[in-house]
Amino acid sequence: MPRFISLCAGAVLLAVLGSPVLAASDSHTADAERFLKLTNADRLAVPVYAQVQQLFAQRFAEAKAPESKQATLERYQAQANAALDKAVGWDKLRPELVVLYTSQFSEKELEGLIEFYESSLGKKMLERLPELNARSAQLAQARLEAAAPEVNRLLGEMSAELAPKQP
């Protein structure tokens, strides 16, 4: 379950962080909703759903369940989807994302973002962004792995230095 929790962290943070000082105007809210629709924010939790489905399928395989139990897997996957819908379904996230975006961008700024994302360059950006984000994460992960031995060595040295001295 810790793996599931870490997968949901991004979506949950987005849902929790938005609390505006002032309420947005109707047009500001409408611009935020238009921006979210344009950027396919309604698909924000899709990777979480996929990971949970994979988690159940993996557990099913680990249990060496016979093919005759496939309906059991599907029943539990459907129940997990229903639980996710209650927590991170679009109808739950949308209002809080609107608050988040209206608290971070003025109405004029949202209009500018909408104009950009409706342009051919903005559409290209939206199309390529998932792959760019995935590849960027891979690059960063590779760099972190290269630094891990040195960081671990430093942690060990610090622990040794801070450890109580034995008489």
Side-chain angles (χ1 to χ4, degrees):
M1 203 51 132
R3 182 173 163 196
F4 168 71
I5 292 169
S6 67
L7 294 171
C8 294
V12 171
L13 281 175
L14 284 174
V16 172
L17 289 178
S19 71
V21 175
L22 299 171
S25 69
D26 289 344
S27 60
H28 194 188
T29 297
D31 282 341
E33 288 181 349
R34 184 173 169 205
F35 175 75
L36 291 169
K37 182 176 172 69
L38 187 62
T39 58
N40 300 313
D42 59 329
R43 297 187 209 150
L44 182 68
V46 168
V48 174
Y49 283 77
Q51 289 285 340
V52 169
Q53 294 300 303
Q54 183 179 1
L55 184 66
F56 275 85
Q58 182 179 350
R59 188 66 50 91
F60 184 80
E62 288 169 358
K64 296 183 182 3
E67 194 64 32
S68 63
K69 295 286 187 174
Q70 183 69 30
T72 301
L73 169 63
E74 292 169 3
R75 185 177 79 246
Y76 278 98
Q77 287 176 322
Q79 291 173 1
N81 280 346
L84 290 173
D85 285 344
K86 289 178 184 176
V88 294
W90 181 239
D91 61 322
K92 302 293 183 196
L93 287 178
R94 185 185 53 77
E96 295 178 27
L97 287 173
V98 166
V99 169
L100 177 63
Y101 278 79
T102 56
S103 71
Q104 298 298 309
F105 297 100
S106 70
E107 188 170 353
K108 186 173 176 74
E109 290 170 331
L110 282 170
E111 289 168 358
L113 286 168
I114 290 167
E115 184 178 332
F116 170 72
Y117 283 111
E118 286 179 336
S119 73
S120 59
L121 180 58
K123 288 176 184 174
K124 181 177 181 178
M125 180 69 172
L126 284 172
E127 179 184 307
R128 305 238 172 113
L129 196 56
E131 181 182 347
L132 289 168
N133 284 340
R135 291 176 69 185
S136 297
Q138 288 171 345
L139 289 170
Q141 182 65 35
R143 299 285 184 183
L144 286 171
E145 287 174 9
E150 177 68 7
V151 170
N152 287 332
R153 182 189 64 76
L154 292 168
L155 280 170
E157 285 180 15
M158 184 184 78
S159 295
E161 189 174 322
L162 294 174
K165 303 290 185 227
Q166 297 292 336

